[in-house]
Amino acid sequence: MIGLFRRPWVRRALSNWIQPAAIAGILVFAVMRGAENINYRWQWYRVDDFLFTSENGAWAAGPLVQGLFVTLEISVLSLILTLVIGLATALLRLSSSVVGRGLARGYLELIRNTPLLIQLYVMYFVLGPILGWGQTTTAIACLAAFQGAYTSEIFRAGLRTIPRGQVEAGDSLGLTRLDNYRYVILPQVLRNMLPPLTNEAVSLVKNSSIVSVIAIFDLTTQGRNLIADTFLTFEIWLTVAAIYLAVTLALSTAAAMAERRRAGA
Amino acid sequence: MTSMIGQRKSRFRLNRLDGILMVGLVAAAGWMWYRSAIGVAYRWDWPQALSTVFATGDAGETPFFLTGIYATLRLSLWGAVLASILGVLIGVGRYAGGRTLRMFCGTYIQILRNIPPLVFIFIFYFFISSQLMPLLGLDALFSRPAEEASGWQRFLFGPPALWENLVSGVLCISFISAAYIAEVVRAGLAAIPRGQWEAGESLGIPVLDRYRFVIFPQALARIAPPLTGQYISLVKDSSIVSLISVQELTFVGSEIANSSGLLFEVWLLVAFVYFLLCLSLSILLRQVERRMTRHFHQFA
Amino acid sequence: MSGDTPSIIAFEDVSKWFGTFQVLRDVDLSIGEGECVVICGPSGSGKSTLIRCINRLETHDRGTVRVHGVPLGPGERLPRELRGKIGMVFQSFNLFPHMTVLRNLALAPMRNLGMDKEKAEETALSYLERVHIGDQAEKYPDQLSGGQQQRVAIARALCMQPDILLFDEPTSSLDPEMIREVLDVIFELTDSGITMVCVTHEMGFARKVSDRVVFMDHGEIVESAAPDTFFDAPREERTRAFLNQILHYEASA
């Protein structure tokens, strides 16, 4: 058990996450005490009901947890779409097709040089109606189109960094082309790409909060609505922030563990 | 460059993929035109949109849309200045501070980078308006009569009636951006080989001079490219402060779109303006970057 | 030990640990003013750590290091008055890549000694002449060969007019054909009165240049003797084994 804390990935997780979370907790407490001095009445006990409600002994998700599910659903769906867009863009950029490269380039410049919020508005007010998309579809498409531009760079880098010598080594050993890809190339590509891809997932979860402006009932929207109803501004926002932090924390830690397992294997 | 994929043979010969993509593009464009003209029967009216957007006020005031662009520029400028200062302080603190300082700077960076900017802005805005402004006495400053503002002040900070508004926006975006800049700065410092510090130390160069002449110039050359990216991000991220009613381009665009009903045109126009802003900024910064790093043979 | 000259560097019972690994074991060593001492030994024997304790790039954990008579205890950094007085030449040169050669040399005299720019550059040029690369003053380090870079580094250290010059394997990262030019420059410094401590594997150089050779192994000083005695009649078995390995190789090469 003691040995666990000596392992590099555990220590990294501790210093990257647990420690900041603890300090943040202390800071929040300090702010609370400060706010008490200006007569802010803390009512943390009311927050429980927003997370889980129990009726006749049966537990049900409260509005915040429902919002979290919507956030996760949108994030997962747009992550899948992001990977597709990212890979397609990367392949187009590395392709021999002039139109393909131009298309990829134009898409990247367009996404990189406009704010996500504006992309969302354009999709929601212009493209959505034209294509007959609903809010959720618009939200997923928008997040994926945005993240895909950044993810394509990861794919591109991953595909380009496999040294020619590796391919040649596999060839000269008499591996078939397929086996060469399966056993030599792809494992290396994936090894290089997993950590940055996890960051993309973290980004997606973070960015997904912006879809609250088009009335999707995600975590942020639920938080805003609850505040409008109850005026528990600090309690609810801090809870919402903590939930987002917990999700991104879990993702990063999972990535660290996966990396360690792969390194150990 | 060794690469398995992307052997470019001849640049300007079209191949089968080109054909497929072009057919696909034409089909998509046609479908979009069909949907917008017949499906939702939208009536594009660009002349009307442009005249609405650039209409001067009754008393000859600057067009509302332009005030939004100016506000975004001011927001970006002051946001970048404040974010750079904070970012460098936090980054250096994270890299070179004592244990406690390192921990606090690390916490700041991790938390700000891992909660949605939108959530941070909502929390922080509430905090600013209810606590920070009264605490710093800024509300008194901003409630001075508007006539006292000089032309320069108006040019740099916009109309006095919106100063408080601007400050809220600047604080929000620079606090977020500072976390990213701090991480860039920390990584840049960490990438300087230890020997450079040791050489400076063994030559007896005083510690601040060591930073100033030896470490920072080298770190700056390394961090210039990611820093450029951060500044462009800052301009883009400035759009979300429209949600706390800071009257910048996105806010103004949304007002005009809603009041005129020309949703398609106005939003495309806003997007286009952001695109031009960010693109020209990135070209400009790339020039600056090239000029700055031209002596760095080993990094060039 | 050199009893006739006053000692300028003295290690008294110095130990140091990296975590649980002891790099220096009760080291006692006294170096006289103007003396040229070569320290040799297998890698990981603590040679570099030993000389880095002199200018306090490393601090020790037990015992006392005396520099210029100033006693330095465990964890103590270099006092202000000694800063810049102990020059160091590194294995990897550590020139400042973003400055011209001239500026590399002039920076420390300007910032530490408060020399004005003209004076500092004049001094710098004279030292560049001394290491035979006066014509490279306006170049950037990466435009020079390894041997030239290391000579620049030596000139840079000399610009602070140090009393002590430490060399940490100055030729280890050089291509073979450039080792000579650097060693020649170091050799030319022997009559300058500067105390020199040099960690090196160049045994021919040690024999020709040094007043004394110190052999270290596993963090302790095994043998310390004049070069002739050291190479021709080593007392300790470990020294003999080490010399056998190294010299055998040199002879057969």
Side-chain angles (χ1 to χ4, degrees):
Chain A
M1 191 59 207
I2 302 285
L4 187 68
F5 291 101
R6 293 233 180 88
R7 300 202 180 141
W9 69 272
V10 175
R11 282 166 60 168
R12 201 161 53 230
L14 273 174
S15 73
N16 279 353
W17 292 109
I18 314 299
Q19 187 178 304
I23 295 175
I26 294 166
L27 284 181
V28 165
F29 184 72
V31 169
M32 282 166 58
R33 295 299 299 267
E36 255 163 37
N37 292 338
I38 57 150
N39 299 324
Y40 187 90
R41 272 186 56 228
W42 292 95
Q43 302 178 48
W44 281 104
Y45 62 92
R46 290 177 62 186
V47 173
D48 300 357
D49 289 345
F50 305 144
L51 293 172
F52 294 101
T53 52
S54 81
E55 235 168 276
N56 309 326
W59 289 89
L64 288 183
V65 171
Q66 285 171 12
L68 174 64
F69 286 145
V70 173
T71 289
L72 291 179
E73 185 193 333
I74 287 179
S75 301
V76 168
L77 290 175
S78 48
L79 179 63
I80 296 167
L81 194 55
T82 295
L83 295 179
V84 174
I85 294 176
L87 184 60
T89 310
L91 289 175
L92 277 184
R93 280 200 75 185
L94 295 168
S95 77
S96 56
S97 150
V98 180
V99 177
R101 291 205 303 271
L103 198 65
R105 201 51 209 273
Y107 158 70
L108 291 178
E109 292 294 339
L110 207 61
I111 297 290
R112 280 190 199 144
N113 288 301
T114 50
L116 174 58
L117 184 59
I118 298 299
Q119 290 164 21
L120 185 63
Y121 282 148
V122 169
M123 284 231 188
Y124 183 62
F125 290 118
V126 183
L127 278 184
I130 291 179
L131 299 173
W133 284 351
Q135 283 150 344
T136 312
T137 316
T138 307
I140 292 169
C142 177
L143 287 173
F146 177 80
Q147 205 63 46
Y150 296 88
T151 308
S152 79
E153 283 301 316
I154 295 170
F155 277 110
R156 195 165 78 111
L159 290 171
R160 291 191 75 139
T161 48
I162 301 304
R164 189 151 206 94
Q166 291 292 316
V167 185
E168 287 168 354
D171 279 345
S172 70
L173 285 170
L175 290 180
T176 66
R177 191 145 183 88
L178 199 66
D179 278 355
N180 203 354
Y181 266 89
R182 187 167 154 207
Y183 293 109
V184 182
I185 312 300
L186 277 182
Q188 297 191 54
V189 173
L190 285 179
R191 166 174 306 208
N192 293 339
M193 281 186 344
L194 196 64
L197 282 181
T198 315
N199 288 339
E200 299 304 285
V202 171
S203 273
L204 266 176
V205 172
K206 269 187 343 177
N207 289 336
S208 73
S209 88
I210 214 160
V211 303
S212 62
V213 303
I214 56 169
I216 284 179
F217 284 83
D218 76 324
L219 183 51
T220 306
T221 308
Q222 295 283 15
R224 291 171 77 170
N225 290 348
L226 283 174
I227 289 165
D229 291 344
T230 62
F231 298 104
L232 299 175
T233 315
F234 270 129
E235 288 91 333
I236 289 170
W237 276 135
L238 291 177
T239 308
V240 168
I243 295 175
Y244 275 113
L245 208 55
V247 173
T248 48
L249 181 157
L251 275 172
S252 301
T253 311
M257 280 170 70
E259 206 179 334
R260 162 189 149 265
R261 179 163 301 176
R262 208 193 40 216
Chain B
M1 179 75 17
T2 52
S3 159
M4 330 179 287
I5 299 173
Q7 309 293 317
R8 295 178 189 176
K9 280 153 203 149
S10 69
R11 270 186 85 90
F12 294 105
R13 226 188 57 211
L14 299 181
N15 57 19
R16 209 171 60 184
L17 183 56
D18 286 312
I20 296 169
L21 286 170
M22 280 195 285
V23 170
L25 275 178
V26 170
W31 167 247
M32 296 268 271
W33 175 83
Y34 169 79
R35 284 290 309 172
S36 76
I38 293 144
V40 293
Y42 189 83
R43 294 181 50 187
W44 295 87
D45 193 350
W46 281 103
Q48 175 64 38
L50 289 173
S51 70
T52 308
V53 159
F54 293 110
T56 44
D58 298 332
E61 302 101 339
T62 322
F64 193 35
F65 191 72
L66 289 185
T67 64
I69 298 180
Y70 298 153
T72 287
L73 288 174
R74 289 189 189 104
L75 199 56
S76 306
L77 175 67
W78 298 119
V81 169
L82 187 56
S84 304
I85 297 171
L86 283 175
V88 169
L89 289 178
I90 295 170
V92 172
R94 172 76 177 140
Y95 176 74
R99 210 184 144 75
T100 320
L101 184 61
R102 270 209 322 270
M103 224 161 66
F104 273 103
C105 294
T107 303
Y108 182 87
I109 294 171
Q110 281 288 26
I111 294 207
L112 268 282
R113 279 160 47 105
N114 282 288
I115 62 171
L118 202 59
V119 172
F120 173 78
I121 280 180
F122 284 138
I123 298 178
F124 193 63
Y125 181 59
F126 183 70
F127 180 69
I128 299 179
S129 56
S130 72
Q131 308 214 4
L132 206 58
M133 289 284 183
L135 195 73
L136 298 177
L138 286 175
D139 49 351
L141 175 70
F142 295 136
S143 53
R144 283 190 320 171
E147 295 78 48
E148 283 179 28
S150 70
W152 269 108
Q153 286 173 329
R154 280 169 198 274
F155 176 72
L156 287 174
F157 305 109
L162 289 175
W163 280 0
E164 188 172 349
N165 195 277
L166 180 76
V167 168
S168 307
V170 167
L171 286 177
C172 282
I173 57 171
S174 56
F175 273 48
I176 294 173
S177 186
Y180 290 86
I181 291 179
E183 180 55 22
V184 168
V185 168
R186 186 206 60 77
L189 288 173
I192 306 290
R194 227 172 72 142
Q196 293 290 312
W197 291 95
E198 293 183 344
E201 192 177 337
S202 76
L203 284 167
I205 299 169
V207 73
L208 283 181
D209 285 341
R210 233 178 281 160
Y211 268 105
R212 185 172 148 204
F213 294 105
V214 179
I215 303 304
F216 277 150
Q218 295 188 59
L220 205 57
R222 280 166 202 267
I223 68 182
L227 209 55
T228 305
Q230 287 310 323
Y231 288 133
I232 292 164
S233 285
L234 185 142
V235 176
K236 290 190 291 175
D237 288 345
S238 75
S239 70
I240 59 174
V241 297
S242 63
L243 299 173
I244 52 168
S245 304
V246 175
Q247 301 197 12
E248 44 66 81
L249 183 53
T250 307
F251 182 88
V252 162
S254 128
E255 296 270 287
I256 298 178
N258 291 337
S259 63
S260 68
L262 298 162
L263 287 175
F264 285 22
E265 293 87 342
V266 172
W267 281 122
L268 287 176
L269 205 58
V270 171
F272 179 66
V273 172
Y274 272 111
F275 183 75
L276 278 188
L277 272 183
C278 294
L279 201 64
S280 42
L281 184 66
S282 74
I283 291 169
L284 180 81
L285 287 179
R286 216 165 293 156
Q287 291 295 327
V288 174
E289 190 187 310
R290 200 163 298 157
R291 183 157 297 194
M292 237 171 49
T293 54
R294 103 195 117 167
H295 290 307
F296 286 78
H297 302 261
Q298 68 167 26
F299 308 130
Chain C
M1 306 260 153
S2 51
D4 43 341
T5 49
S7 89
I8 188 170
I9 302 164
F11 286 84
E12 295 163 6
D13 240 353
V14 172
S15 293
K16 178 177 176 62
W17 286 263
F18 284 137
T20 54
F21 174 71
Q22 189 169 6
V23 263
L24 297 179
R25 293 168 191 270
D26 308 316
V27 171
D28 271 301
L29 178 69
S30 168
I31 295 171
E33 222 173 309
E35 205 181 355
C36 175
V37 174
V38 162
I39 299 175
C40 61
S43 50
S45 59
K47 310 171 300 247
S48 288
T49 310
L50 185 79
I51 69 165
R52 286 160 66 88
C53 280
I54 299 173
N55 68 348
R56 310 312 280 171
L57 287 181
E58 306 275 3
T59 55
H60 60 279
D61 299 317
R62 207 174 64 200
T64 309
V65 177
R66 271 176 213 281
V67 181
H68 268 301
V70 181
L72 299 164
E76 246 179 280
R77 313 296 298 192
L78 208 59
R80 189 171 289 273
E81 68 268 20
L82 286 180
R83 279 178 207 162
K85 295 278 100 188
I86 310 174
M88 187 171 216
V89 175
F90 300 86
Q91 180 180 342
S92 49
F93 327 137
N94 294 346
L95 294 178
F96 306 135
H98 57 300
M99 300 177 186
T100 61
V101 165
L102 195 64
R103 193 136 163 66
N104 257 284
L105 269 68
L107 182 67
M110 283 163 68
R111 307 311 302 182
N112 179 303
L113 305 175
M115 237 183 238
D116 62 51
K117 190 164 180 259
E118 257 168 50
K119 182 84 183 21
E121 292 189 346
E122 200 179 298
T123 320
L125 269 175
S126 75
Y127 280 110
L128 278 180
E129 297 291 348
R130 201 162 153 186
V131 298
H132 318 300
I133 35 175
D135 51 336
Q136 312 283 0
E138 291 307 323
K139 290 202 174 157
Y140 284 88
D142 65 344
Q143 295 170 302
L144 303 180
S145 73
Q148 289 173 320
Q149 289 192 48
Q150 193 60 300
R151 285 187 280 152
V152 171
I154 294 171
R156 182 174 70 173
L158 290 174
C159 276
M160 287 298 291
Q161 283 146 354
D163 314 311
I164 301 172
L165 205 44
L166 309 172
F167 295 88
D168 190 359
E169 305 203 19
T171 57
S172 295
S173 53
L174 292 176
D175 291 332
E177 72 272 19
M178 293 170 182
I179 291 178
R180 187 61 195 261
E181 64 188 60
V182 171
L183 293 182
D184 281 347
V185 164
I186 301 175
F187 175 60
E188 286 160 24
L189 292 173
T190 46
D191 54 5
S192 63
I194 300 175
T195 308
M196 298 204 282
V197 186
C198 185
V199 172
T200 186
H201 296 293
E202 300 292 332
M203 289 301 124
F205 170 78
R207 181 167 226 164
K208 180 178 164 201
V209 173
S210 72
D211 300 315
R212 186 152 50 112
V213 182
V214 172
F215 173 62
M216 284 185 76
D217 194 16
H218 293 296
E220 50 192 7
I221 293 181
V222 178
E223 185 157 0
S224 164
D228 288 344
T229 329
F230 183 85
F231 289 108
D232 298 335
R235 270 180 295 121
E236 300 288 330
E237 183 53 40
R238 273 197 278 176
T239 316
R240 249 170 282 161
F242 175 72
L243 286 176
N244 216 12
Q245 276 176 334
I246 288 210
L247 296 179
H248 220 82
Y249 216 86
E250 274 185 2
S252 65

